[in-house]
Amino acid sequence: GFSAGALTMMALSALGITALLFASPTAFNIVKMLGAGYLVWLGITLWRKPFKLGQAQGCSASPLWSGFRPAFLLAVSNPEDTVFFSALLPRFLDTSRELWPQYLTMAATWVVADMVVAVALAAAGGRLGGWLAHGQRLQRFSRTSGGLFVLAGVMLAAVQR
């Protein structure tokens, strides 16, 4: 989901649509507030997640893609990604050559690096999951994570361009 969101933001950067966000403070603020609102909503959802003592609430038998939608929405609603890709990608372009192959190479490189990091985090999360399955550790972890998401959303909303 994060990789697909990053690819979407790269494509928008390549098409020049993100230039609109730089040119229009209103458009930038709308995207920023949507991103902040989504972070707060994710945080509240994590905070309110029900847990039963003595039962692990880890991964269920849900489909592999169950996390795709929230990760994708988080990635595309993050105005920092828009700014990042708009500032980063043009610095590596050779304008004397065709641009699309260069964008495709950068996108492929980004996705491979992103997936390597995601696999490493998933492996670490698998080990952490066993530890979290005891007592109220998972609930505390979820509430701490939820609080951090809410804090990040509030801070994002408060930041000036």
Side-chain angles (χ1 to χ4, degrees), residues 21-155:
L21 296 178
F22 286 118
S24 169
T26 303
F28 181 85
N29 285 329
I30 288 170
V31 171
K32 179 180 83 166
M33 295 310 285
L34 287 172
Y38 187 64
L39 284 172
V40 169
W41 179 79
L42 281 175
I44 291 170
T45 301
L46 274 172
W47 183 268
R48 296 180 62 199
K49 186 175 182 175
F51 295 95
K52 294 181 182 174
L53 289 176
Q55 287 186 331
Q57 297 284 329
C59 296
S60 65
S62 62
L64 177 63
W65 295 99
S66 64
F68 180 87
R69 182 174 160 249
F72 178 81
L73 290 174
L74 184 61
V76 298
S77 66
N78 184 355
E80 290 177 3
D81 280 352
T82 304
V83 172
F84 178 77
F85 289 125
S86 295
L88 176 74
L89 297 181
R91 297 188 186 282
F92 295 98
L93 294 175
D94 179 359
T95 55
S96 66
R97 295 177 31 219
E98 193 169 346
L99 296 178
W100 287 108
Q102 295 177 71
Y103 272 113
L104 289 175
T105 301
M106 286 187 278
T109 303
W110 181 269
V111 168
V112 168
D114 194 38
M115 295 301 259
V116 166
V117 170
V119 167
L121 289 173
R127 292 180 186 226
L128 182 63
W131 181 78
L132 288 173
H134 301 313
Q136 291 184 322
R137 291 178 188 156
L138 184 58
Q139 182 179 21
R140 284 187 211 127
F141 181 80
S142 183
R143 288 191 173 169
T144 300
S145 299
L148 291 173
F149 272 114
V150 170
L151 178 64
V154 169
M155 289 174 63

